[in-house]
């Protein structure tokens, strides 16, 4: 269990750094801030990870995995409301909330 948790944590760090490198190049310092596309990419990756976890939880009928999936999706929704929406204005904000709502409704339908 500890090795699985460590592997999952390392995978999350690697994914974060891979997205960071895609948008920022070889300079991975956090002092530069985040590019708007980078923030959106992190949100999409988190939403996809939560969806895959939920799909696997339903396929295996595993309650613990389902709780983990819902925690990842909850963290994603909180990130969108607290971080992503602060940088958006007007129609972009409305579209972002609409797409997030549709994605969460689809995942709720799966659950």
């Amino acid at each position: 269990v500890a090795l699985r948790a460590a592997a999952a944590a390392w995978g999350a760090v690697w994914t974060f750094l891979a997205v960071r490198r895609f948008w920022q190049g070889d300079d991975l310092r956090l002092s530069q801030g985040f590019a708007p596309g980078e923030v959106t990419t992190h949100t999409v990756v988190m939403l996809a990870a939560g969806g895959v976890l939920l799909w696997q939880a339903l396929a295996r009928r595993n309650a613990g995995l389902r709780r983990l999936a819902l925690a990842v999706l909850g963290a994603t929704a909180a990130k969108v409301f607290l971080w992503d929406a602060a940088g958006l204005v007007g129609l972009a904000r409305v579209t972002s909330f609409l797409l997030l709502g549709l994605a969460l409704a689809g995942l709720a339908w799966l659950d």
Side-chain angles (χ1 to χ4, degrees):
V1 174
L3 285 176
R4 285 183 182 176
W10 182 249
V13 168
W14 182 87
T15 303
F16 173 81
L17 291 174
V19 171
R20 181 94 179 146
R21 185 165 191 262
F22 177 79
W23 286 99
Q24 301 290 338
D26 290 333
D27 190 10
L28 299 178
R29 291 177 293 156
L30 292 177
S31 61
Q32 298 182 69
F34 293 94
E38 182 181 0
V39 173
T40 304
T41 304
H42 283 296
T43 302
V44 169
V45 167
M46 288 174 68
L47 193 59
V52 168
L53 283 171
L54 185 59
W55 173 54
Q56 284 299 307
L58 294 175
R60 297 177 184 186
R61 300 186 188 275
N62 187 335
L65 196 56
R66 186 173 61 89
R67 287 187 192 104
L68 177 63
L70 293 177
V72 169
L73 292 173
T76 304
K79 178 188 174 296
V80 168
F81 285 115
L82 299 174
W83 185 299
D84 297 357
L88 300 175
V89 292
L91 191 57
R93 182 179 283 187
V94 171
T95 304
S96 174
F97 284 132
L98 179 66
L99 291 176
L100 176 67
L102 289 174
L104 291 176
L107 291 171
W109 176 76
L110 281 175
D111 191 30

